[in-house]
Amino acid sequence: MTLCQSIFMELARTEAKFFGIAKLPLIEIPHHPSGGARAGEHRADAEGAIELVNEQLTLSGGGVKRMGAG
């Protein structure tokens, strides 16, 4: 499983395919780059990803999961 900021999702998918792990579970974190985050955004991103990470660790699924997408 890989946590990936939105702006790098296309690259993450391409790299996963290139390295033979096309089914690598990707957890998409909101789009802001690290340098442009406002106070508290990183914590909110981490807290928002907890459920998606837990799903990937406990279920046999794959693909892309997005925070806020239900």
Side-chain angles (χ1 to χ4, degrees), residues 3-70:
L3 302 177
C4 186
Q5 288 181 337
S6 298
I7 60 173
F8 298 114
M9 287 300 291
E10 185 176 340
L11 176 62
R13 286 186 203 99
T14 300
E15 292 290 313
K17 288 177 190 173
F18 177 81
F19 286 106
I21 50 175
K23 293 185 179 183
L24 176 70
L26 298 172
I27 305 291
E28 186 173 342
I29 303 297
H31 64 280
H32 63 75
S34 297
R38 287 178 247 131
E41 282 185 314
H42 290 300
R43 181 178 186 92
D45 289 348
E47 289 174 350
I50 290 172
E51 184 177 332
L52 296 173
V53 170
N54 186 50
E55 286 178 19
Q56 289 299 311
L57 291 173
T58 57
L59 300 174
S60 62
V64 176
K65 303 290 182 179
R66 290 182 177 86
M67 289 176 50

